[in-house]
Amino acid sequence: MVKYSYEDVAQHLRKEHPGCPEFALNYFATSISEREWRNASLGMAVGITLQTYLRHNLTEYETLLLIGVDREEALRRVQPRVAAMLKTWKRKRRKKRRSKASSTQARRDADAPPSTDERQDTGMLDEQQLSGRVTNSPTDSRREEDQQ
């Protein structure tokens, strides 16, 4: 069993997933560093944690299980979306250049938070999604199984 330090996990996330929002990085680094990992490298621990979180919280995976879809089929259905979200986090965030005329409108647009659909489609998380997790849900045992 191995336990990774918060600093090591955070550094790995910043290097391998530069598009991951800072508040999410803190959440994942804390989550990963608080548990002991059996036969998992740091990269594997990060991958397991990110995929499990995204699958259970930002896809219809649990709904599919609840309506009776086989677990393997549910995983197959949601994996493209999980992969797309992870792919956006692999890229560095780019700053867009704008003309003066469009910068005023851009500032107004930037003040408006993205819709839930926009966050889910681009792998964006907000702090409410991380802090609002139900910790005693019936799927917690499945999450533990997924991570080991």
Side-chain angles (χ1 to χ4, degrees), residues 10-144:
Q11 182 180 6
H12 178 87
L13 283 164
R14 284 187 184 101
K15 180 182 175 196
E16 299 297 324
H17 301 277
C20 182
E22 190 67 25
F23 67 87
L25 182 142
N26 290 329
Y27 172 83
F28 292 127
T30 300
S31 175
I32 293 165
S33 65
E34 287 178 346
R35 70 175 285 209
E36 292 185 0
W37 292 87
R38 185 178 27 180
N39 301 323
S41 67
L42 177 56
M44 286 175 61
V46 169
I48 290 167
T49 302
L50 294 180
Q51 286 201 30
T52 300
Y53 181 86
L54 294 172
R55 177 174 57 250
H56 286 275
N57 294 286
L58 296 178
T59 70
E60 64 283 358
Y61 177 73
E62 291 188 15
T63 303
L64 292 170
L65 295 176
L66 288 172
I67 62 171
V69 174
D70 177 70
R71 186 178 181 156
E72 288 181 23
E73 175 62 16
L75 282 168
R76 187 193 65 73
R77 288 186 191 181
V78 302
Q79 190 55 37
R81 187 169 196 166
V82 171
M85 288 186 276
L86 287 173
K87 186 177 178 182
T88 64
W89 287 359
K90 286 272 190 189
R91 295 189 302 247
K92 289 185 180 181
R93 296 193 181 270
R94 294 186 325 198
K95 293 182 180 179
K96 294 182 180 179
R97 294 182 183 178
R98 300 172 196 245
S99 67
K100 282 188 176 183
S102 66
S103 65
T104 304
Q105 182 62 40
R107 269 188 253 119
R108 282 190 214 126
D109 293 343
D111 291 339
S115 70
T116 302
D117 290 340
E118 287 173 325
R119 285 192 301 269
Q120 288 178 348
D121 290 341
T122 61
M124 292 175 65
L125 293 177
D126 62 27
E127 293 178 67
Q128 290 177 334
Q129 287 174 297
L130 290 175
S131 63
R133 287 185 52 213
V134 176
T135 55
N136 293 324
S137 73
T139 58
D140 279 350
S141 61
R142 283 189 298 226
R143 289 183 189 149
E144 287 296 319

